[in-house]
Amino acid sequence: MLQPGDEIDIWVVEHALGQGGMGSVYRCHNRSAKRILAAVKTLDPSLNKIATAKARFVREAEILFALDHPNIVKVRNVRMDAELPYIEMEFVEGVSLDSQILRGPMAVDKAVALFKQAASAVAYMHERGVRHRDIKPSNIILKSDGRLKLVDFGIATEQDGKTLTAHGQTFGSVSYAPPEWIEPGSLEAVRWDVYSLGTVFYEMLVGRFAFPVSGLGTSRQKALQVMIAKQKHPPLDPGPTLPVDLRRLIRAMTRSTPETRLATAQEVLDALEAADLETVDPDAEFEDTPVEAPSSHTWYPGMDLEDMVDSQPVPLEQAAEQAATPRPPETREPEPAPTLEPPRPEPAPQDAPIPPADTGDDSNKKLVLVGFIAALVLLMAGLGWQVWRSDPGRQDPIVEPPAAALGRDVDVVVTGLAQDSDLQLRLGGARSRSSDGFVHHFKDIPLGSVELVAIQGAGCEPTTDQPWCKRSVQTMELGAGEGVHTQTLSLSPLPERQIELRGLRGMTLRLEGEEVEVDRRGRASISTAPGRYALSAEKGLCPSEVTGCSADDNCPAGCSSWEGNLDIPVDGELAAFEIPLPEPSRRAGAEAPATTPSSDPIPEQAPPASSDAAAKAQVSNKQLASWLASHPEWQREAALESGKAAGNYLKGWEGATPPAGQESAAAVNVSWSMAKAYCAGRGGLAPTSASPSTWDEGGALAWHEYRQQDGAPAWVRSDGTVSTAVKKSDAKAFIGFRCSR
């Protein structure tokens, strides 16, 4: 750190304002004109020779220089060629917002006026592709004229997600980071900023920090303690004495699930502008109130002592003492913006909880009752009484059992996986009693050496030994201590593996019900995570009710269908997979099952005798495109929405435009209904008796053709096989059509 009197180019240091991950910020005056002030941010000398660090430093200056908003600190100059590289910013005279929060709740009109400025600054920043990611009270400076300035963009990101700080230093301050912070890869930076803004607004209105960092454990443990408290935490609510619209807004900004949170700072600003600041309703109900009782609540002014004790992870005696002990107002210099916020002692509550709007005799009685309860608890503590907060039937609460016989609750925090990953945890053989997002809770685990087992994979359990399950084991030492023990478990997602399926020529292939593309060589490549997957294949046109019929040798004529499982192991060599699917039966007179309740089964017939009538050539994509342009109801989106087509209908088409490079190819992925409509003015669909009755496939995909037989749906295959087992809406990659003329 530089000392007062040290020089940074033309600037003379007066005193330090703060220190961050890449350098320090100083209040300075111009060497030639002492009345000209600046906040000068220097790059840490240890990083000066690291090109990537210098580049990040410059990029921060460029981002700030491009922002021009009255509530965002302004960069005036940057000098990378100076002996000590620095960014020169306007000096903001004022106090940090956190020092104001420690003084107690703000008046609603003042808090709203300041918050509109903050929301305006963040909305402006987001519109320009910049995300702050470290919004907190110590990064908000309040000027004496009532204006606000947002400072410190040291871990800001641009819209493409490139961060300005080194790897491992992108977390921001955990007290204001959203619950999903625990898995950085899943964070969406705009909603992160919205959550942080909502937490700051809550603190302004209640005069108390929402998620203080405790003084217990290592820095990492302290951070995890805060994030565990946030998992499935109910939305922050500043309390029933405040306007309903403000309560609703803060709740919408601080929901634990990002998808249900307000999406943008502009939405926040719009809601503030439209907010009714007069209506107060203590009985107001909100749609985001949890159905189940949450594990913890956030304090608000007016909360009863018992509610506060039940909702805070501190002993009853300590909570009572905090409630009974007055605390003088606290002020402090603006804090630096470290990447991971250093521990901050939990501020004690205000001199007394602020009562609801009714300030009559009931409020006075309530304060007397709170004081009486606090005094009684302190008296009990002085007499050596111990308050046990476990089951009411616990025996002999005064004599503590031997440490060796005790168990301890454990929270296992899983990092490295997506929140919805298939994961089972066992600790000492016990299953977690609940999982809040990334945190798994275990109850009464015996002390000593304990085995932590993680099983990854769909449907995997500790007692099974499937090849697609991954089992990880580590041993941890669980010692005696107060409170919940926190254990971090770092895992990696199961990697996707690629397997090739061969011998699929003429087949329709489905994995978990979704059709898989088969190339002209009859091969398909599947990339997926390890697991057991349902696989099916068919040749011909098979109704869904006969899937797998080849195994029973009971398929209708013109259909062959197989179903089974495709197992993808975690490791080991993957051999090519082949499906044992026989050719469809061509038995004359065999019945094909009805495809709709209204259609009568018509038997598949042997190849028809040659007819003098010859059909036109197969319809091409170019011809179909011209027709679709004047018949938009048959374009892909419209036909699917109206139920006229299903599945792969016109796959790859955009409106009336066929897939690139396929204009001259035969039209495939069409439905019988659409083919009938196209041929309506062209003599109708060609009958099954029309020539050609057989043809050479020549490598083309359209090796079946939609036809009609006495007006009913039918198809003809290139070898002459005829079938009426046709669903009017089906569309597949190997079937085209031709008209009579």
Side-chain angles (χ1 to χ4, degrees):
M1 294 285 290
L2 299 177
Q3 301 302 313
D6 289 343
E7 293 190 357
I8 308 170
D9 195 21
I10 63 171
W11 299 101
V12 180
V13 174
E14 293 185 356
H15 61 81
L17 294 174
Q19 185 174 18
M22 296 184 65
S24 303
V25 183
Y26 302 92
R27 170 178 165 143
C28 300
H29 65 258
N30 187 284
R31 185 171 55 204
S32 303
K34 289 187 177 182
R35 296 178 63 183
I36 298 178
L37 300 178
V40 178
K41 183 170 186 175
T42 61
L43 180 65
D44 190 295
S46 64
L47 302 176
N48 195 21
K49 294 183 180 180
I50 301 176
T52 54
K54 293 180 72 173
R56 287 191 296 270
F57 193 72
V58 171
R59 192 65 192 126
E60 178 185 353
E62 291 177 339
I63 287 177
L64 278 172
F65 192 81
L67 299 179
D68 187 10
H69 189 278
N71 300 116
I72 297 177
V73 66
K74 184 64 179 173
V75 166
R76 299 191 302 219
N77 192 18
V78 58
R79 286 288 305 275
M80 296 305 296
D81 57 345
E83 182 178 354
L84 190 60
Y86 68 90
I87 299 172
E88 174 197 329
M89 299 173 285
E90 65 171 317
F91 177 73
V92 182
E93 188 78 56
V95 296
S96 64
L97 179 58
D98 61 345
S99 66
Q100 293 297 300
I101 289 172
L102 287 170
R103 295 177 182 270
M106 286 187 185
V108 171
D109 55 350
K110 179 180 179 182
V112 170
L114 290 173
F115 196 67
K116 283 182 179 179
Q117 296 180 50
S120 174
V122 177
Y124 169 88
M125 179 177 64
H126 286 175
E127 288 175 0
R128 283 148 185 82
V130 179
R131 290 84 170 94
H132 192 285
R133 303 198 315 154
D134 198 19
I135 297 171
K136 58 183 179 180
S138 61
N139 280 342
I140 297 174
I141 304 300
L142 306 182
K143 301 180 66 175
S144 58
D145 61 2
R147 284 192 297 160
L148 166 155
K149 288 280 187 178
L150 184 61
V151 302
D152 205 319
F153 285 67
I155 63 169
T157 61
E158 297 175 85
Q159 195 163 11
D160 60 5
K162 294 178 181 177
T163 182
L164 300 179
T165 48
H167 177 69
Q169 295 182 333
T170 61
F171 299 117
S173 302
V174 293
S175 293
Y176 301 91
E180 64 269 23
W181 166 91
I182 203 166
E183 179 53 45
S186 67
L187 286 171
E188 202 285 302
V190 170
R191 292 182 193 264
W192 177 346
D193 284 348
V194 169
Y195 181 91
S196 301
L197 270 175
T199 305
V200 171
F201 195 19
Y202 164 86
E203 293 180 347
M204 292 164 66
L205 290 170
V206 303
R208 188 176 190 272
F209 295 116
F211 299 102
V213 179
S214 76
L216 303 175
T218 64
S219 296
R220 183 174 180 82
Q221 287 173 330
K222 294 170 188 174
L224 290 175
Q225 289 167 15
V226 173
M227 297 316 298
I228 290 171
K230 292 188 178 187
Q231 300 301 309
K232 292 191 177 178
H233 192 287
L236 298 180
D237 189 333
T241 63
L242 291 169
V244 174
D245 279 3
L246 294 187
R247 296 174 63 192
R248 181 176 287 109
L249 173 59
I250 293 175
R251 295 176 72 98
M253 296 174 69
T254 58
R255 292 171 184 161
S256 60
T257 306
E259 293 78 12
T260 62
R261 197 177 301 149
L262 279 184
T264 68
Q266 186 58 52
E267 291 179 10
V268 174
L269 191 58
D270 292 343
L272 273 174
E273 295 291 349
D276 173 6
L277 303 182
E278 301 297 331
T279 302
V280 174
D281 182 5
D283 298 322
E285 296 183 358
F286 301 95
E287 64 279 3
D288 55 9
T289 300
V291 177
E292 299 180 0
S295 57
S296 61
H297 295 270
T298 307
W299 179 90
Y300 58 78
M303 179 180 281
D304 289 340
L305 175 63
E306 290 184 4
D307 293 335
M308 183 173 69
V309 170
D310 287 341
S311 66
Q312 299 298 324
V314 296
L316 184 60
E317 299 94 332
Q318 181 181 342
E321 183 177 0
Q322 289 177 350
T325 304
R327 183 198 51 175
E330 181 178 341
T331 59
R332 51 181 171 175
E333 288 285 341
E335 289 184 4
T339 301
L340 191 62
E341 187 179 39
R344 176 169 57 188
E346 178 178 358
Q350 299 301 304
D351 296 351
I354 298 176
D358 182 4
T359 58
D361 293 341
D362 289 343
S363 297
N364 294 330
K365 291 177 181 178
K366 191 171 185 180
L367 292 176
V368 171
L369 178 60
V370 170
F372 174 78
I373 294 173
L376 179 60
V377 171
L378 291 174
L379 177 61
M380 293 168 63
L383 293 174
W385 288 34
Q386 296 193 35
V387 179
W388 288 71
R389 300 185 62 199
S390 57
D391 295 336
R394 187 172 189 129
Q395 299 298 315
D396 195 11
I398 298 178
V399 180
E400 186 174 351
L406 289 176
R408 190 173 179 189
D409 293 352
V410 177
D411 283 348
V412 178
V413 182
V414 178
T415 64
L417 299 182
Q419 190 168 4
D420 57 353
S421 299
D422 290 307
L423 176 67
Q424 294 285 334
L425 291 186
R426 296 292 187 276
L427 184 60
R431 181 194 291 263
S432 59
R433 59 186 173 91
S434 65
S435 173
D436 297 340
F438 302 96
V439 186
H440 296 253
H441 306 287
F442 294 87
K443 185 77 173 175
D444 292 329
I445 302 300
L447 303 183
S449 183
V450 187
E451 194 174 69
L452 176 59
V453 180
I455 304 97
Q456 296 173 251
C460 297
E461 294 286 344
T463 56
T464 58
D465 191 26
Q466 298 100 331
W468 58 85
C469 299
K470 181 179 180 181
R471 180 185 176 94
S472 306
V473 181
Q474 74 176 44
T475 301
M476 56 173 280
E477 294 297 327
L478 183 60
E482 295 183 2
V484 178
H485 175 83
T486 302
Q487 181 75 18
T488 304
L489 177 63
S490 297
L491 298 173
S492 300
L494 296 180
E496 285 198 349
R497 307 201 68 193
Q498 185 169 359
I499 186 170
E500 187 175 271
L501 288 80
R502 298 177 180 174
L504 307 176
R505 186 172 175 79
M507 294 188 194
T508 298
L509 186 69
R510 292 183 177 87
L511 183 73
E512 295 290 321
E514 296 293 329
E515 189 165 332
V516 178
E517 184 176 353
V518 177
D519 66 20
R520 291 173 179 264
R521 299 177 300 168
R523 298 183 179 184
S525 182
I526 295 175
S527 294
T528 187
R532 166 165 282 184
Y533 299 92
L535 189 68
S536 65
E538 67 180 44
K539 289 183 178 180
L541 293 179
C542 298
S544 58
E545 59 266 25
V546 300
T547 300
C549 58
S550 294
D552 302 324
D553 195 24
N554 195 30
C555 293
C559 162
S560 182
S561 176
W562 172 92
E563 64 178 349
N565 292 318
L566 176 64
D567 292 348
I568 309 290
V570 172
D571 46 34
E573 186 175 352
L574 292 176
F577 191 86
E578 298 196 14
I579 296 176
L581 185 63
E583 289 295 322
S585 168
R586 296 177 56 189
R587 300 188 306 273
E591 287 192 353
T595 58
T596 64
S598 60
S599 63
D600 296 326
I602 300 177
E604 179 181 326
Q605 301 177 7
S610 178
S611 169
D612 293 337
K616 287 290 185 180
Q618 288 180 339
V619 176
S620 69
N621 282 331
K622 183 176 181 180
Q623 293 170 315
L624 181 58
S626 176
W627 181 80
L628 286 172
S630 58
H631 294 78
E633 71 276 12
W634 285 106
Q635 294 178 15
R636 175 176 169 79
E637 296 300 327
L640 291 176
E641 185 174 349
S642 64
K644 295 179 179 178
N648 289 326
Y649 177 76
L650 293 184
K651 183 178 180 180
W653 285 69
E654 294 290 340
T657 304
Q662 299 294 316
E663 288 82 359
S664 60
V668 294
N669 286 318
V670 297
S671 69
W672 188 89
S673 295
M674 191 224 72
K676 179 184 177 183
Y678 177 92
C679 294
R682 298 169 175 81
L685 270 170
T688 55
S689 59
S691 61
S693 56
T694 62
W695 64 92
D696 182 11
E697 296 175 23
L701 286 175
W703 55 281
H704 287 61
E705 291 179 4
Y706 279 132
R707 301 277 185 101
Q708 56 90 14
Q709 184 166 292
D710 297 328
W715 56 252
V716 173
R717 193 166 59 206
S718 57
D719 61 3
T721 301
V722 176
S723 176
T724 55
V726 175
K727 291 183 179 179
K728 295 181 179 181
S729 61
D730 271 356
K732 300 186 178 183
F734 53 79
I735 189 163
F737 71 105
R738 67 177 78 211
C739 302
S740 293
R741 62 173 187 269

